[in-house]
Amino acid sequence: MLKKERQALILQQLNIHNRVLSCELLEKFSVSEDTIRRDLQELSDEGRLIKVHGGALSKGFHFTLSSNEVYLPEEKRTIAQKAAELIKDGMLVLLSGGTTIMELVHALPSTINATFVTPSVPMALELMNNSQNEVIFIGNKLNRDAQMAVGAEVVRQLQTLHADICFMGTNAIDAVSGITESIWEIIEVKKEMRRASGKLVSLAISEKLNTVQPFQVCAPSEIDYLVTELPSGHPSLQAYKQAGIAVL
């Protein structure tokens, strides 16, 4: 495989799953550790990813409120518009982090009257800047990569909530394995967000369908809605319907 092809595949995996691990790339491409290190360094020097210990992050994952580094923005806006229809006045709504959840915040009707709870710093700030709704930030130690509060105190606070609905930015989803993630600290928080909510909504671009990461957040039976940019009748969504998930 040519270097440019390999680097293009690295960027594709980053855009889909937000981060890559060097050890996984070694196995995938059957090349030396030095080759992967050089690939990541070159892509970092070109400003196409953020190199971190043990791998890399997508620039869209490590976003700021002014960032325009969003992968498939039109698809994510379509997902957000569909998902926003599930939010009703008076609801207590849990939001995770991620660029698709950010689009959901942007898609909220100006007339909605709900309470939003989030451990995501960018999400809390965006809600404060662009909404008159009540915003509750659950804080503790921050995971720098995800810009999200993590740890035992976040889990404890979530255990006191009984939210109507949770909108979860999704790293990977599969009709057999459910929602999976790659960062253990994030797993703990997302698991508790699911337990604290009456309904779980998974927001995922179609490229994340039928993919699996190392750690499970929840089984398919725990997912109430899957929202993608695809039409609800698309063949790619049939397995999720058969698993009992409502598809939007």
Side-chain angles (χ1 to χ4, degrees):
M1 181 182 292
L2 297 175
K3 180 176 74 171
K4 290 299 182 184
E5 293 176 321
R6 189 174 60 247
Q7 291 185 354
L9 287 172
I10 291 172
L11 291 172
Q12 181 188 45
Q13 287 302 301
L14 268 177
N15 284 326
I16 296 172
H17 297 301
N18 301 321
R19 65 183 287 150
V20 293
L21 299 177
S22 297
C23 59
E24 293 176 349
L25 296 176
L26 286 171
E27 183 177 348
K28 182 178 181 67
F29 297 121
S30 300
V31 294
S32 70
E33 186 175 344
D34 285 342
T35 297
I36 294 299
R37 186 182 298 113
R38 285 195 298 270
D39 282 343
L40 295 181
Q41 189 60 59
E42 286 182 21
L43 291 169
S44 176
D45 292 342
E46 294 170 7
R48 305 180 75 183
L49 54 74
I50 300 169
K51 192 170 181 290
V52 296
H53 179 70
L57 299 173
S58 73
K59 297 191 74 175
F61 181 55
H62 200 271
F63 63 94
T64 64
L65 294 183
S66 60
S67 173
N68 59 3
E69 297 282 351
V70 177
Y71 182 59
L72 300 180
E74 289 301 322
E75 286 83 349
K76 291 180 178 180
R77 278 192 279 273
T78 297
I79 293 169
Q81 289 162 5
K82 291 182 183 181
E85 296 179 4
L86 296 172
I87 302 176
K88 309 300 180 185
D89 285 343
M91 278 187 168
L92 179 63
V93 181
L94 266 173
L95 300 177
S96 72
T99 51
T100 309
I101 299 293
M102 184 66 81
E103 292 299 333
L104 173 60
V105 172
H106 294 159
L108 291 174
S110 59
T111 56
I112 200 73
N113 181 16
T115 299
F116 293 89
V117 183
T118 183
S120 167
V121 175
M123 234 50 63
L125 291 172
E126 191 71 7
L127 283 162
M128 290 291 292
N129 290 336
N130 293 284
S131 168
Q132 297 303 310
N133 293 286
E134 184 175 358
V135 181
I136 299 171
F137 174 68
I138 296 179
N140 194 31
K141 183 185 82 169
L142 292 175
N143 180 290
R144 290 181 180 273
D145 294 343
Q147 300 173 318
M148 179 183 288
V150 295
E153 180 59 22
V154 174
V155 170
R156 188 195 67 77
Q157 292 180 55
L158 285 168
Q159 288 171 345
T160 68
L161 295 178
H162 299 282
D164 296 289
I165 194 166
C166 172
F167 293 88
M168 189 171 289
T170 304
N171 194 323
I173 185 168
D174 179 78
V176 175
S177 300
I179 296 174
T180 53
E181 260 282 0
S182 60
I183 305 174
W184 181 251
E185 286 185 317
I186 303 301
I187 294 291
E188 294 179 306
V189 174
K190 286 189 170 182
K191 279 178 176 284
E192 201 56 50
M193 290 177 73
R194 173 61 189 108
R195 284 192 285 265
S197 304
K199 300 287 185 181
L200 176 65
V201 185
S202 170
L203 277 58
I205 57 172
S206 58
E207 289 185 8
K208 296 186 178 186
L209 299 177
N210 309 323
T211 64
V212 179
Q213 291 290 296
F215 306 116
Q216 187 185 59
V217 175
C218 66
S221 60
E222 299 177 83
I223 305 168
D224 296 285
Y225 296 94
L226 169 60
V227 189
T228 77
E229 81 279 9
L230 301 174
S232 61
H234 195 280
S236 299
L237 301 172
Q238 186 60 35
Y240 298 90
K241 293 178 180 179
Q242 291 174 348
I245 302 170
V247 173
L248 300 181

